[in-house]
C-alpha cells in the first residue's frame, strides 16, 4: 500500500502530543525521546482501534526509531533494542498485508462490471476474515510488550503512565506500556561521535543500495527486489534523521527514494496478493465448495499478474540520480566537520 504511505507517513514531531509540537529537535538526544513518545501514542491507538492508520503509523515509527538507534552503536549497546523493534514491526506487518490486499481487491471489484465482481467479493470476504483473526492475535501480542524497556535500555529513567494504561493494568486485559516523560528525560550522547558514525553509516548504506541497484533487472527474483526496497528505506530513514539533526537539506533525494520505494512496494503488494489468492483457491475444501467460482478467482489472479508485469516494466532500469549521491556526500562532509570540531574542542 505504497500510496497510503504517502498520506499517512507522519513527521516525528507531528506524532508527539500537541504540547510537544513546538519543540524542534536538532540533536539525536532530543529526537529519540520524541520518537519514543510517538511510538507510545501509536501503540495505544493500535490497541484501542486496530485500524489501518494506527497500524501503519506504529510500523513507520518503529522503523524511524530503529534508524536513530542505529546511530548509537558506538555510544551504547542497542542491538537488542533494535531486534525488539523489528519483532514488533513484523507482527504489525502481518495485519498491514491484509489491509493492502483488501484495498487492492476493492479497487479491482469497483473497476469491474457487475457480472465480474463476484469472484473479487468472494476473495474479499475471505481476506477480511483472515485480517480480523490476524489482528486479534497481533493485538494480544502487542498488548504484552513493554515499550518502557526501550527507554530504560537507553538510560531514560523517567516513565509515566496514562490513565488508559492504568485501567488496562487494573483489569489485566493489557500489560501497561511506558511513555517517556520528555520534561525529565535525559539522554547523554557525544553528538560529535554520533555525527562521525552517521557519516560512515550513510556512506555504507548508500554503497549497499547502489550495489543492489546494479544487480537488479526485470527478471529479478521477488526476494531480490524486496531487498532493494529495504535498502532504499535504510538510506531514506537515515537521511531523514540526519536532516532533522540539521546537517543539510535532503528533500529532493528523499522524494526520489520514496518514489522508488512506492513503485517497488506496489509491485510487491500485487506479488503477495497473487500468491494469497492462489493459496485460497488451492485449498481442496475451498475448491470443492466453490468449484465454479474458483476458475473466476484464478482469472482474477491472472489479471493481477498482468498488472504486476506492467509495473515491473515501468520500474526498470533503475537509475540512481546524482541528486541522491551528491546530497549524501554533502551531508557526510557536514557530519564529519561536526565530528572533527568535537575532537578539536576536547
Amino acid at each position: 500500500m505504497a500510496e497510503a504511505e504517502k498520506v499517512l507517513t507522519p513527521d516525528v514531531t507531528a506524532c508527539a502530543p500537541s504540547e510537544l509540537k513546538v519543540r524542534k529537535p536538532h540533536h539525536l538526544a532530543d529526537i529519540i525521546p520524541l520518537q519514543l513518545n510517538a511510538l507510545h501514542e501509536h501503540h495505544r491507538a493500535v490497541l484501542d482501534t486496530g485500524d489501518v492508520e494506527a497500524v501503519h503509523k506504529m510500523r513507520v515509527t518503529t522503523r524511524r526509531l530503529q534508524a536513530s538507534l542505529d546511530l548509537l552503536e558506538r555510544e551504547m549497546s542497542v542491538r537488542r533494542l533494535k531486534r525488539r523493534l523489528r519483532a514488533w514491526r513484523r507482527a504489525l506487518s502481518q495485519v498491514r498485508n491484509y489491509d493492502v490486499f483488501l484495498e487492492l481487491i476493492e479497487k479491482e471489484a469497483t473497476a469491474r462490471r457487475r457480472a465480474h465482481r463476484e469472484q473479487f467479493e468472494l476473495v474479499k470476504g475471505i481476506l477480511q476474515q483472515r485480517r480480523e483473526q490476524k489482528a486479534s492475535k497481533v493485538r494480544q501480542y502487542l498488548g504484552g510488550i513493554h515499550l518502557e524497556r526501550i527507554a530504560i535500555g537507553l538510560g531514560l529513567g523517567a516513565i509515566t503512565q496514562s490513565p488508559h494504561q492504568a485501567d488496562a493494568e487494573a483489569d489485566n486485559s493489557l500489560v501497561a506500556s511506558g511513555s517517556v516523560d520528555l520534561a525529565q528525560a535525559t539522554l547523554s550522547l557525544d553528538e560529535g561521535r554520533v555525527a562521525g558514525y552517521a557519516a560512515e553509516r550513510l556512506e555504507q548504506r548508500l554503497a549497499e543500495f547502489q550495489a543492489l541497484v546494479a544487480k537488479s533487472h526485470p527478471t529479478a527474483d521477488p526476494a531480490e527486489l524486496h531487498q532493494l526496497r529495504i535498502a532504499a528505506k535504510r538510506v531514506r530513514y537515515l537521511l531523514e534523521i540526519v536532516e532533522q539533526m540539521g546537517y543539510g537539506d535532503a528533500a529532493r533525494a528523499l522524494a526520489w527514494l520514496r518514489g522508488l520505494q512506492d513503485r517497488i512496494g506496489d509491485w510487491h503488494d500485487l506479488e503477495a496478493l497473487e500468491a494469497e489468492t492462489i493459496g485460497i483457491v488451492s485449498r481442496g475444501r475451498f475448491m470443492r465448495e466453490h468449484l465454479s467460482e474458483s476458475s473466476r478467482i484464478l482469472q482474477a489472479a491472472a489479471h493481477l499478474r498482468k498488472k504486476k508485469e506492467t509495473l515491473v516494466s515501468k520500474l526498470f532500469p533503475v537509475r540512481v540520480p546524482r541528486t541522491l549521491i551528491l546530497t549524501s556526500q554533502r551531508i557526510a562532509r557536514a557530519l564529519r566537520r561536526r565530528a572533527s570540531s568535537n575532537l578539536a574542542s576536547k
Side-chain angles (χ1 to χ4, degrees), residues 269-322:
D269 292 339
L270 288 172
E271 173 81 14
L273 178 55
E274 179 190 333
E276 186 83 9
T277 302
I278 292 173
I280 290 172
V281 178
S282 299
R283 294 167 57 197
R285 179 178 177 182
F286 179 89
M287 188 171 291
R288 285 194 300 271
E289 294 177 357
H290 304 279
L291 192 58
S292 61
E293 294 93 340
S294 294
S295 62
R296 293 198 295 271
I297 291 175
L298 289 175
Q299 289 175 1
H303 174 70
L304 292 174
R305 175 168 294 184
K306 288 182 180 178
K307 291 190 67 173
K308 182 184 65 175
E309 291 170 351
T310 300
L311 286 175
V312 169
S313 66
K314 293 179 179 179
L315 176 63
F316 294 97
V318 177
R319 294 188 177 93
V320 179
R322 284 186 58 79

Side-chain angles (χ1 to χ4, degrees), residues 112-278:
R112 295 285 176 161
R113 293 195 298 257
R114 186 179 300 275
H116 298 285
R117 291 180 188 173
E118 184 179 350
Q119 66 266 37
F120 290 104
E121 293 297 332
L122 180 59
V123 174
K124 181 180 175 181
I126 295 170
L127 293 177
Q128 184 65 55
Q129 183 180 20
R130 290 185 177 184
R131 197 273 185 192
E132 292 172 359
Q133 292 171 346
K134 185 64 67 177
S136 177
K137 292 180 180 179
V138 170
R139 183 181 181 276
Q140 184 177 9
Y141 165 70
L142 292 178
I145 70 175
H146 297 268
L147 298 188
E148 69 270 21
R149 288 178 181 171
I150 301 287
I152 293 171
L154 294 172
L156 295 167
I159 304 295
T160 61
Q161 188 181 61
S162 69
H164 166 89
Q165 294 167 316
D167 292 343
E169 190 174 42
D171 64 15
N172 294 319
S173 61
L174 299 171
V175 177
S177 300
S179 173
V180 177
D181 182 348
L182 297 180
Q184 303 178 42
T186 56
L187 183 58
S188 178
L189 297 178
D190 184 331
E191 294 287 344
R193 278 169 54 89
V194 168
Y197 182 66
E200 294 177 19
R201 202 62 162 157
L202 180 56
E203 290 171 343
Q204 176 191 352
R205 293 298 195 199
L206 181 61
E208 292 170 348
F209 171 66
Q210 289 178 296
L212 287 170
V213 166
K215 293 193 301 182
S216 64
H217 50 85
T219 58
D221 183 88
E224 293 179 8
L225 287 181
H226 185 57
Q227 288 303 311
L228 177 62
R229 186 178 184 227
I230 290 175
K233 285 184 178 182
R234 286 173 175 165
V235 177
R236 170 194 164 188
Y237 286 115
L238 179 52
L239 276 176
E240 284 184 352
I241 291 297
V242 294
E243 181 185 54
Q244 191 176 4
M245 290 163 64
Y247 288 99
D249 179 17
R252 291 177 62 192
L254 288 169
W256 183 83
L257 286 167
R258 279 193 293 269
L260 177 66
Q261 179 185 324
D262 288 344
R263 291 195 299 275
I264 300 177
D266 290 340
W267 168 86
H268 184 267
D269 292 339
L270 288 172
E271 173 81 14
L273 178 55
E274 179 190 333
E276 186 83 9
T277 302
I278 292 173

Side-chain angles (χ1 to χ4, degrees), residues 13-221:
T13 53
C15 297
S18 57
E19 65 270 17
L20 298 172
K21 291 180 182 178
V22 296
R23 186 176 179 181
K24 187 178 180 181
H26 286 289
H27 299 289
L28 194 61
D30 298 319
I31 293 170
I32 289 175
L34 285 172
Q35 290 175 326
L36 282 167
N37 192 81
L39 183 60
H40 162 67
E41 293 297 319
H42 300 321
H43 174 246
R44 186 172 63 184
V46 168
L47 297 183
D48 285 346
T49 68
D51 67 15
V52 176
E53 185 172 352
V55 169
H56 172 78
K57 286 186 174 181
M58 185 174 174
R59 288 180 69 249
V60 171
T61 305
T62 62
R63 194 174 291 281
R64 286 190 164 136
L65 178 55
Q66 187 175 324
S68 295
L69 296 186
D70 191 46
L71 299 182
L72 301 183
E73 289 283 356
R74 290 182 180 169
E75 296 295 299
M76 61 186 72
S77 177
V78 293
R79 292 187 179 182
R80 182 176 296 180
L81 303 181
K82 287 162 59 179
R83 284 199 299 269
R84 192 167 285 148
L85 290 170
R86 278 195 296 270
W88 299 345
R89 186 167 60 253
R90 285 169 181 166
L92 288 162
S93 294
Q94 297 177 50
V95 180
R96 178 263 180 196
N97 288 342
Y98 283 106
D99 289 333
V100 172
F101 295 161
L102 287 165
E103 181 177 324
L104 289 172
I105 287 292
E106 180 64 29
K107 287 181 179 178
E108 291 295 325
T110 302
R112 295 285 176 161
R113 293 195 298 257
R114 186 179 300 275
H116 298 285
R117 291 180 188 173
E118 184 179 350
Q119 66 266 37
F120 290 104
E121 293 297 332
L122 180 59
V123 174
K124 181 180 175 181
I126 295 170
L127 293 177
Q128 184 65 55
Q129 183 180 20
R130 290 185 177 184
R131 197 273 185 192
E132 292 172 359
Q133 292 171 346
K134 185 64 67 177
S136 177
K137 292 180 180 179
V138 170
R139 183 181 181 276
Q140 184 177 9
Y141 165 70
L142 292 178
I145 70 175
H146 297 268
L147 298 188
E148 69 270 21
R149 288 178 181 171
I150 301 287
I152 293 171
L154 294 172
L156 295 167
I159 304 295
T160 61
Q161 188 181 61
S162 69
H164 166 89
Q165 294 167 316
D167 292 343
E169 190 174 42
D171 64 15
N172 294 319
S173 61
L174 299 171
V175 177
S177 300
S179 173
V180 177
D181 182 348
L182 297 180
Q184 303 178 42
T186 56
L187 183 58
S188 178
L189 297 178
D190 184 331
E191 294 287 344
R193 278 169 54 89
V194 168
Y197 182 66
E200 294 177 19
R201 202 62 162 157
L202 180 56
E203 290 171 343
Q204 176 191 352
R205 293 298 195 199
L206 181 61
E208 292 170 348
F209 171 66
Q210 289 178 296
L212 287 170
V213 166
K215 293 193 301 182
S216 64
H217 50 85
T219 58
D221 183 88

